[in-house]
Amino acid sequence: MSLSTAPSAARRAADGTRRRTSASVVLRSVLEHGPVARSTIARLTGLSPASVTDHCAQLGALGLIREAAATRQSKGAGRPHIPVDLDASRFVVGGVHVAVPYTTVALLDLRGRVVAERRLGHGEGTEPGRVLANAADGLGALFAEAGDRTPLSIGVAAGGWVDRDAGIIVEHGLLGWRDVAVREVIGAHTGLPVQVDGHARALVNGEWLFGRARGSRSMLHLFVGNVVDAAFATHDQVHHGPRSQAGAIAHLPLEGGTEPCDCGRTGCLQVELSERTLCRRARERGVIRTANPMHVVRAAADGDPVAVRLLVERARMVGRAARLLLDVLNPETVVITEAGVMRRDDCLGALCEAVGEERAALVVPSSFPDSVLAVAGGSVALDVFYRDPLHTFAISGAAAEPN
């Protein structure tokens, strides 16, 4: 490239970046406020009316937004305002969540709603190639059943150490995985763009896009399953840290903990709060005979007092962990994903009591109690899509599909 053409190329690149960013802002505004008039989008986003009209035309041509049926009459003379709204009927993303006992595969529409979901057990073992191939096959079956909906991309979420930029699970101790090239494997099986992230971080983005934490300026998310980890975000950006190691809290000491940990200490956060520990304690007390934490929740719902005590005490310990993180991070909102807290008022009350009265109002349970793992996987893809919808279309090939 000659010196005379270099500035022109740089300007074109900058213009392309601004255009993609503006398209993202417009689409996010329609997601949050639709049906919404173009003039209102201009006011909310600070873009010019002409720019908003241009972006709406482009997003409409791609099938992402549509004019709403109802019109809003403008004040005075002139044409009525025709609001635009998200068209969630045409496209889906695939979601994969790899958990210790099973993998969840799902399809989500552009509003983050689960269209289809399936659980795939690890009956043949947790060798990563087999698990990921089964996940890709499961997604393929769901895509085939999706009718006229076009898949855009796939998001994969998991616990442990997940390097988002490299698209790999660096380490998942409970599965015995190390340096698993998830993006490469799933992409080769499906032919679609694949994004990978930790499930705690993924659900922060899900909460911001579709949940009750929308509009919060800073957020802490505490995920308590078999894996226990956290995510912290400010101003629409999740903190990942070098190689996406932020949020690794498994070995933080928990006051009052009694469980021995493989690291040689007692009372580490993950071993104390994990679903494995909850289910073992429930089996020892004759509440259940399985390793399914939802059976403990079900027993509590049926009035088993021991199950209730186990869940409430676990929620109280989760509250102590949340208080510790609150002291360090001081977020505006705290989202808790934990089986009892998401479904029982007594568990949420015990957690808030442990957090402390002065900050209990900051705490909310997950917005997705019945589909949290499906939403975790799908949110990885949807976060990337809403940050740059034009690029997602360009690399997925969906733009070539007829509207």
Side-chain angles (χ1 to χ4, degrees), residues 96-150:
V96 177
H97 180 275
V98 183
V100 175
Y102 54 80
T103 297
T104 301
V105 294
L107 304 185
L108 278 68
D109 70 12
L110 298 186
R111 290 194 182 277
R113 298 174 298 203
V114 177
V115 175
E117 180 178 355
R118 188 171 298 167
R119 287 185 176 179
L120 310 173
H122 298 326
E124 298 179 354
T126 57
E127 189 276 322
R130 179 186 295 113
V131 169
L132 295 178
N134 286 343
D137 290 343
L139 275 180
L142 294 183
F143 286 141
E145 297 167 5
D148 295 332
R149 293 183 187 241
T150 302

Side-chain angles (χ1 to χ4, degrees), residues 129 132-137 140 154 183-192 194:
L132 295 178
N134 286 343
D137 290 343
I154 295 170
R183 178 190 296 155
E184 179 182 336
V185 173
I186 297 289
H189 276 81
T190 64
L192 287 169
V194 179

Side-chain angles (χ1 to χ4, degrees), residues 87 123 232 256 369 387:
D87 188 343
F232 181 66
R387 291 183 189 278

Side-chain angles (χ1 to χ4, degrees), residues 18-321:
R18 281 194 295 270
R19 185 170 185 80
R20 293 197 304 272
T21 301
S22 296
S24 169
V25 169
V26 170
L27 189 60
R28 288 281 293 264
S29 183
V30 175
L31 169 69
E32 186 168 351
H33 301 285
V36 60
R38 294 168 179 82
S39 58
T40 303
I41 296 174
R43 177 174 55 80
L44 292 170
T45 63
L47 297 171
S48 70
S51 179
V52 169
T53 297
D54 180 43
H55 285 302
C56 285
Q58 184 177 23
L59 294 171
L62 292 173
L64 295 175
I65 66 174
R66 56 178 174 75
E67 291 188 341
T71 61
R72 296 179 180 177
Q73 185 66 42
S74 60
K75 295 180 180 180
R79 297 176 59 191
H81 295 302
I82 303 176
V84 293
D85 202 1
L86 192 71
D87 188 343
S89 66
R90 300 186 181 210
F91 301 101
V92 291
V93 299
V96 177
H97 180 275
V98 183
V100 175
Y102 54 80
T103 297
T104 301
V105 294
L107 304 185
L108 278 68
D109 70 12
L110 298 186
R111 290 194 182 277
R113 298 174 298 203
V114 177
V115 175
E117 180 178 355
R118 188 171 298 167
R119 287 185 176 179
L120 310 173
H122 298 326
E124 298 179 354
T126 57
E127 189 276 322
R130 179 186 295 113
V131 169
L132 295 178
N134 286 343
D137 290 343
L139 275 180
L142 294 183
F143 286 141
E145 297 167 5
D148 295 332
R149 293 183 187 241
T150 302
L152 291 174
S153 60
I154 295 170
V156 183
W161 177 6
V162 181
D163 186 334
R164 177 191 63 167
D165 294 334
I168 67 175
I169 294 178
V170 180
E171 184 175 11
H172 194 305
L174 294 179
L175 288 174
W177 289 14
R178 289 190 65 86
D179 296 324
V180 178
V182 175
R183 178 190 296 155
E184 179 182 336
V185 173
I186 297 289
H189 276 81
T190 64
L192 287 169
V194 179
Q195 291 87 32
V196 186
D197 209 346
H199 55 202
R201 294 190 292 260
L203 285 165
V204 167
N205 291 317
E207 291 285 348
W208 257 336
L209 285 169
F210 316 112
R212 59 170 59 96
R214 177 184 286 176
S216 182
R217 290 169 296 181
S218 61
M219 189 192 320
L220 165 68
H221 177 227
L222 184 57
F223 185 102
V224 183
N226 280 306
V227 174
V228 178
D229 52 15
F232 181 66
T234 58
H235 301 292
D236 201 32
Q237 292 292 332
V238 179
H239 178 63
H240 284 77
R243 290 206 69 192
S244 298
Q245 292 188 76
I249 59 172
H251 294 287
L252 285 179
L254 186 59
E255 180 185 355
T258 60
E259 291 287 326
C261 182
D262 290 343
C263 73
R265 293 180 293 182
T266 298
C268 289
L269 204 60
Q270 181 163 289
V271 72
E272 196 67 41
L273 297 179
S274 76
E275 290 176 347
R276 285 184 169 190
T277 301
L278 171 67
C279 290
R280 193 204 74 228
R281 290 171 175 172
R283 288 194 301 271
E284 289 172 351
R285 290 159 177 80
V287 175
I288 62 172
R289 296 181 180 180
T290 69
N292 188 336
M294 293 313 300
H295 291 172
V296 184
V297 176
R298 191 178 305 161
D302 291 339
D304 188 317
V306 178
V308 172
R309 283 198 300 273
L310 287 171
L311 290 173
V312 169
E313 179 55 31
R314 185 184 192 224
R316 186 172 291 111
M317 296 288 274
V318 173
R320 292 175 186 170

